[in-house]
């Protein structure tokens, strides 16, 4: 009897254990574990695509190649001389910049056009002299007001590599370079081959300038950069380049040290002769001392203007002043012939440069 009861209890326990295991919840599959296509094939999930930073800043300045192919230009490009170059920039209203001498000499080899949805620049028979920065940008207009879209502006410095002309040609034999204590100076011996080895040389006494930790560095798009020019650097210099052939020498550069503060013109005015009577001839001179490469424009206000005929002559020259400093002396001389009573009075000189304008006056009185 007891054995029968124990056997029954054992069977009950086994059935309860089986029932408990069957009711355990199954683990749900992670949707990422596998995906089933309609065809029944399982595929691994693809990670979401991320936008790479800086993709918007890629240049839209392109060169048109043969057979309708296009090449997107980078920060610098090397092209062979002699072959016509066509550049394009996408946009309905495009502005362009290129080496300034092409405008200065009104070069007929250059053509700039706006064609439907892109701007076009064509340069025929390019040479080493055309090496320089080429830029395009989208022009935004609001009515009559237009501005440059800086977010859509693209540039490429183009080298027209010519083994016979390693240096970008200069229109003059000796160029002036002004040295100032408060800013870097540049000896602009640019090359047409960025791989050329370039050195800077003084003519007298003959020596090569060191570029190792001396504040002198070379940039093929600018030339030699003198970080802290000193009076000792004055003199005649030239650059020497070594490419795949024989070494070549650049034009010469006259380095002049100047020490004139930047600003509106510093003007002086004087009258000669000191004593004037009717019938005399009078000169009123307006003079300005300034930076050598900063031009000055003059304008006059005088009695009986504009009916009274006067003669005005303007000129300028470079003058060396102690310690090798060089300044630009600009002057305008107003001459009045056969003075009459109505010619006496105030003579006003206006001198203007890129920094501002200065107005001075001198009285011409009957002596």
């Amino acid at each position: 009897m007891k054995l029968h009861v124990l056997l029954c209890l054992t069977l009950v326990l086994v059935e309860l254990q089986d029932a408990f295991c069957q009711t355990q919840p199954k683990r749900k599959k992670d949707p990422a574990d596998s995906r089933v296509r309609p065809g029944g094939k399982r595929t691994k999930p693809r990670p979401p695509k991320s936008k790479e930073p800086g993709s918007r800043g890629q240049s839209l300045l392109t060169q048109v190649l043969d057979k309708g192919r296009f090449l997107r230009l980078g920060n610098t490009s090397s092209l062979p001389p002699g072959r016509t170059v066509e550049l394009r920039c996408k946009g309905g209203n495009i502005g362009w910049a290129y080496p300034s001498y092409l405008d200065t000499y009104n070069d007929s080899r250059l053509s700039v056009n706006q064609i439907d949805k892109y701007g076009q620049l064509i340069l025929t028979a390019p040479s080493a002299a055309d090496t320089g920065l080429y830029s395009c940008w989208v022009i935004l207009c609001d009515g009559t007001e237009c501005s440059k879209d800086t977010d859509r502006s693209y540039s490429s410095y183009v080298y027209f590599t010519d083994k016979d002309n390693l240096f970008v040609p200069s229109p003059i034999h000796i160029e002036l370079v002004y040295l100032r204590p408060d800013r870097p100076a540049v000896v602009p011996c640019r090359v047409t081959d960025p791989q050329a080895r370039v050195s800077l040389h003084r003519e007298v006494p003959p020596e090569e300038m060191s570029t190792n930790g001396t504040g002198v560095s070379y940039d093929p798009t600018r030339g030699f950069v003198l970080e802290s020019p000193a009076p000792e650097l004055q003199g005649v210099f030239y650059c020497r380049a070594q490419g795949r052939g024989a070494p070549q020498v650049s034009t010469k550069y006259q380095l002049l040290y100047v020490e004139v503060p930047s600003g509106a013109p510093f003007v002086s005015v004087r009258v000669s002769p000191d004593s004037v009577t009717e019938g005399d001839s009078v000169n009123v001179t307006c003079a300005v001392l300034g930076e050598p490469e900063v031009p000055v424009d003059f304008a006059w206000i005088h009695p009986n203007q504009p009916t009274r005929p006067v003669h005005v002559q303007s000129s300028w020259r470079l003058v060396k002043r102690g310690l090798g400093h060089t300044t630009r002396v600009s002057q305008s001389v107003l001459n009045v012939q056969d003075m009459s009573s109505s010619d006496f009075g105030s003579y006003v000189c206006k001198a203007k440069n890129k920094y501002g304008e200065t107005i001075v006056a001198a009285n011409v009185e009957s002596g």
Side-chain angles (χ1 to χ4, degrees), residues 271-273 276-277 280-284 334-339 364:
V271 179
S272 63
V276 183
T277 59
D280 289 344
S281 175
V282 175
N283 287 331
V284 184
L334 182 148
N335 174 261
V336 184
Q337 300 283 340
D338 193 16
M339 291 283 291
V364 179

Side-chain angles (χ1 to χ4, degrees), residues 244-267:
R244 287 170 289 181
Q248 299 179 25
V249 174
S250 72
T251 187
K252 294 181 181 180
Y253 301 92
Q254 175 74 57
L255 275 58
L256 300 175
Y257 190 79
V258 300
E259 197 168 25
V260 178
S262 301
F266 179 77
V267 184

Side-chain angles (χ1 to χ4, degrees), residues 124-146:
T124 59
S127 67
D130 300 314
T131 295
L133 188 67
Y134 290 77
S135 305
C136 66
W137 58 87
V138 174
I139 299 175
L140 300 177
C141 293
D142 183 8
T144 59
E145 297 292 329
C146 294

Side-chain angles (χ1 to χ4, degrees), residues 215-256:
V216 180
S217 59
Y218 186 71
D219 180 346
T221 68
R222 300 176 65 195
F224 279 96
V225 181
L226 314 177
E227 295 296 339
S228 301
E232 294 75 21
L233 283 176
Q234 289 189 110
V236 177
F237 288 75
Y238 63 90
C239 298
R240 179 184 174 95
Q242 178 68 61
R244 287 170 289 181
Q248 299 179 25
V249 174
S250 72
T251 187
K252 294 181 181 180
Y253 301 92
Q254 175 74 57
L255 275 58
L256 300 175

Side-chain angles (χ1 to χ4, degrees), residues 153-284:
S153 177
Y154 316 101
S155 299
S156 181
Y157 190 93
V158 180
Y159 297 93
F160 288 100
T161 304
D162 185 350
K163 63 181 180 63
D164 296 324
N165 291 281
L166 287 180
F167 288 105
V168 178
S170 173
I172 56 180
H173 179 62
I174 296 183
E175 292 190 39
L176 294 179
V177 176
Y178 298 105
L179 311 176
R180 293 182 176 79
D182 60 342
R183 71 187 75 169
V186 177
V187 180
C189 50
R190 297 181 295 127
V191 289
T192 63
D193 182 358
Q195 304 302 320
R197 301 186 300 277
V198 189
S199 54
L200 178 63
H201 299 258
R202 185 194 295 271
E203 193 169 68
V204 179
E207 62 175 329
E208 179 179 343
M209 304 301 296
S210 173
T211 57
N212 296 325
T214 60
V216 180
S217 59
Y218 186 71
D219 180 346
T221 68
R222 300 176 65 195
F224 279 96
V225 181
L226 314 177
E227 295 296 339
S228 301
E232 294 75 21
L233 283 176
Q234 289 189 110
V236 177
F237 288 75
Y238 63 90
C239 298
R240 179 184 174 95
Q242 178 68 61
R244 287 170 289 181
Q248 299 179 25
V249 174
S250 72
T251 187
K252 294 181 181 180
Y253 301 92
Q254 175 74 57
L255 275 58
L256 300 175
Y257 190 79
V258 300
E259 197 168 25
V260 178
S262 301
F266 179 77
V267 184
S268 62
V269 63
R270 61 184 176 86
V271 179
S272 63
D274 296 331
S275 179
V276 183
T277 59
E278 292 187 25
D280 289 344
S281 175
V282 175
N283 287 331
V284 184

Side-chain angles (χ1 to χ4, degrees), residues 7-62:
L7 181 60
C8 290
L9 288 175
T10 301
L11 291 173
V12 170
L13 289 173
V14 170
E15 289 183 5
L16 288 175
Q17 185 176 1
D18 291 340
F20 177 78
C21 292
Q22 291 177 3
T23 58
Q24 285 291 318
K26 294 183 179 180
R27 183 180 68 87
K28 293 183 179 181
K29 292 185 178 180
D30 190 335
D33 288 346
S34 62
R35 293 183 182 178
V36 181
R37 287 182 178 176
K41 296 183 179 180
R42 298 183 182 273
T43 60
K44 293 184 179 180
R46 295 180 179 178
K49 293 183 178 180
S50 59
K51 295 182 179 180
E52 294 186 7
S55 58
R56 186 173 179 270
Q58 292 179 349
S59 174
L60 295 183
L61 177 60
T62 58

